[in-house]
Amino acid sequence: MPEPEPAEWPLQGLDVPALKAGGWQPMPFAEFVLKIHGRCNLACDYCYVYESADQTWRTRPTAMAPEVLAATTARVAEHVSDHLLEDVSIVLHGGEPLLAGEAAIAGAVEQFRAAMPPPCDVEVSIQTNGVLLTDAMLAMLDEHDVGVSVSLDGDRDGHDRHRLRANGRGSHSDVMRGLNRLAGSHRRLYRGLLCTVDLDNDPIRTYEALLETGPPRIDFLLPHGTWSAPPPRRPVEGGGTPYAEWLITVFDRWYHTPRKETGVRMFEEIMNVLLGGQSQSENVGLSPVAMLVVDTDGTLQQVDSLKTSYAGAPETGLNVFDHSFDEALWHPGVVARQIGRAALAPTCETCGVRDICGGGAYAHRYREGSGYLNPSVYCPDLMKLIEHIGRTLQRDLARAQPTRSN
């Protein structure tokens, strides 16, 4: 059983009944992350599932059983009907979801698509380390129209520093074999790359290595950490902005190229919010987060990166057999990620980049004793990065203004 949750914000201090009484209503879930397989064929040393404070994976089933999948499918369909949703996203996740095998994955996709009431459109994607992207696996994913995102941390040296097999052997060559298959005859499925920032990797070399297979998008991820367990080389008492400097180097290389080579999600989301748009990322801006995780045993969880906070942090106490997804909508942790500015720390209120930063990734705000009512542990880096992007946009917009003649 998971450890009991500490009485910290938002479990203590966020008055959900008062919000409800005042007429506030949550946004229905539109993205469902399914942990169809709970184990992995790699042993990445920064993995938030296996290497963090939460070790509940040890007590959960290896794979999602048919009865859990059936109950999950029914709950999603119920949620779609209750809220008249026109589209939902199903993300097959792990562990390493491809370990579930071709037949199980194909069956799950078919089950979800068949169960959704019309006219709801179902987009299915999978997040994988890429090692098992064989020709047969890709043919099945292609047949069932499943988008594929792959984790890759740059060139061989950069990737193999952390993304290793249990025997210590690097995974880069195996990942690249799978990626080249995906980027070849199955390119229509290629959704992009996820890259965890490593300050020991050269930013330009990393970025250019990621471009080799022509990804439609790159998603740079800050290493998970909190105020109580800081990320590598991120001083908690000031002392520099190493992650901003790394990302700014990549931004300048990406932004100033004459021809667009790929999208970079973090940069594009920041630019979008700076220009008055709405963020589509849970890590940028103040848009409500409408995502729910279903683990292999059918338990309902908040975003699973909260595993870096403390044992049991993502838990809601609910499951697909006994509870509707509407019940999860009123969990304090879910509510906290939908109420925008009301969930930010007092120190964020006067910050000039508050609405663009949005407090940063929710998991990165945790501090033992006060919970998630804190700025991001990456606060100085986020501020420097956003200000740099803002100045760049302002300069280019000013140049684009037509010159007035007298």
Side-chain angles (χ1 to χ4, degrees):
M1 294 293 293
E3 295 289 327
E5 297 174 325
E8 301 168 339
W9 197 93
L11 298 179
Q12 182 181 63
L14 179 58
D15 195 341
V16 176
L19 285 169
K20 192 171 186 178
W24 181 84
Q25 288 292 318
M27 176 182 290
F29 297 117
E31 179 178 346
F32 304 92
V33 178
L34 271 62
K35 299 285 185 174
I36 61 170
H37 203 283
R39 302 296 183 268
C40 192
N41 51 354
L42 296 184
C44 307
D45 59 16
Y46 57 56
C47 181
Y48 63 80
V49 176
Y50 308 110
E51 302 295 334
S52 66
D54 185 285
Q55 291 288 299
T56 51
W57 66 272
R58 297 178 182 276
T59 62
R60 292 201 156 108
T62 298
M64 185 174 281
E67 58 270 23
V68 175
L69 181 63
T72 303
T73 304
R75 290 297 186 191
V76 174
E78 174 185 59
H79 200 68
V80 166
S81 294
D82 289 348
H83 296 279
L84 303 176
L85 301 180
E86 295 182 357
D87 51 79
V88 294
S89 173
I90 306 294
V91 182
L92 306 179
H93 209 277
E96 171 46 52
L98 295 183
L99 286 172
E102 296 166 33
I105 294 169
V109 175
E110 290 171 353
Q111 192 167 326
F112 269 100
R113 290 215 168 102
M116 293 308 109
C120 182
D121 180 62
V122 182
E123 179 185 20
V124 184
S125 62
I126 196 162
Q127 291 188 3
T128 172
N129 59 39
V131 170
L132 297 176
L133 286 175
T134 61
D135 289 331
M137 183 66 76
L138 281 164
M140 179 276 295
L141 295 173
D142 208 332
E143 179 185 353
H144 291 85
D145 194 24
V146 179
V148 181
S149 297
V150 179
S151 295
L152 180 71
D153 284 353
D155 62 8
R156 182 183 299 274
D157 290 343
H159 180 91
D160 285 349
R161 182 174 292 113
H162 301 287
R163 300 189 67 79
L164 305 170
R165 292 183 178 273
N167 62 7
R169 184 167 65 86
S171 63
H172 184 267
S173 58
D174 297 323
V175 175
M176 289 307 298
R177 272 193 291 272
L179 259 179
N180 284 320
R181 293 187 186 106
L182 172 64
S185 55
H186 302 283
R187 173 163 285 277
R188 76 180 192 89
L189 304 179
Y190 197 179
R191 297 294 181 267
L193 297 175
L194 291 81
C195 175
T196 299
V197 174
D198 183 344
L199 298 177
D200 290 327
N201 292 342
D202 179 83
I204 300 299
R205 187 163 63 245
T206 299
Y207 173 68
E208 292 181 347
L210 296 174
L211 291 176
E212 289 180 9
T213 57
R217 172 175 276 189
I218 297 170
D219 200 355
F220 285 108
L221 308 174
L222 292 168
H224 288 308
T226 69
W227 291 98
S228 301
R233 290 158 57 185
R234 172 59 262 166
V236 295
E237 302 300 336
T241 51
Y243 288 92
E245 289 156 21
W246 197 99
L247 288 165
I248 286 169
T249 301
V250 177
F251 173 81
D252 288 344
R253 163 67 178 78
W254 168 80
Y255 182 84
H256 294 294
T257 189
R259 176 183 57 84
K260 183 176 180 179
E261 297 165 308
T262 187
V264 177
R265 188 181 189 196
M266 179 188 291
F267 303 155
E268 291 174 332
E269 293 290 355
I270 290 172
M271 292 166 64
N272 188 41
V273 180
L274 281 167
L275 294 171
Q278 292 292 313
S279 170
Q280 301 298 312
S281 168
E282 62 181 285
N283 298 328
V284 175
L286 294 168
S287 300
V289 176
M291 181 265 287
L292 187 67
V293 178
V294 183
D295 213 327
T296 54
D297 60 352
T299 53
L300 305 183
Q301 299 182 0
Q302 308 165 60
V303 60
D304 51 354
S305 59
L306 299 187
K307 290 175 179 291
T308 57
S309 305
Y310 56 86
E315 307 294 334
T316 64
L318 310 175
N319 65 76
V320 293
F321 298 105
D322 304 318
H323 307 94
S324 71
F325 289 167
D326 275 17
E327 292 177 74
L329 283 173
W330 292 101
H331 184 276
V334 174
V335 172
R337 302 180 74 223
Q338 293 208 6
I339 57 176
R341 285 175 55 182
L344 298 183
T347 53
C348 294
E349 275 302 309
T350 57
C351 178
V353 301
R354 177 197 62 206
D355 294 347
I356 298 95
C357 166
Y362 188 71
H364 300 164
R365 306 178 201 175
Y366 180 76
R367 188 193 293 267
E368 187 175 355
S370 57
Y372 298 96
L373 199 60
N374 301 286
S376 168
V377 71
Y378 286 105
C379 180
D381 294 284
L382 294 172
M383 181 176 294
K384 184 170 184 176
L385 174 63
I386 291 168
E387 289 177 343
H388 177 82
I389 294 175
R391 285 193 300 270
T392 303
L393 289 179
Q394 286 177 343
R395 182 177 62 246
D396 285 359
L397 288 170
R399 288 173 178 167
Q401 293 295 322
T403 304
R404 286 186 181 176
S405 58
N406 292 329

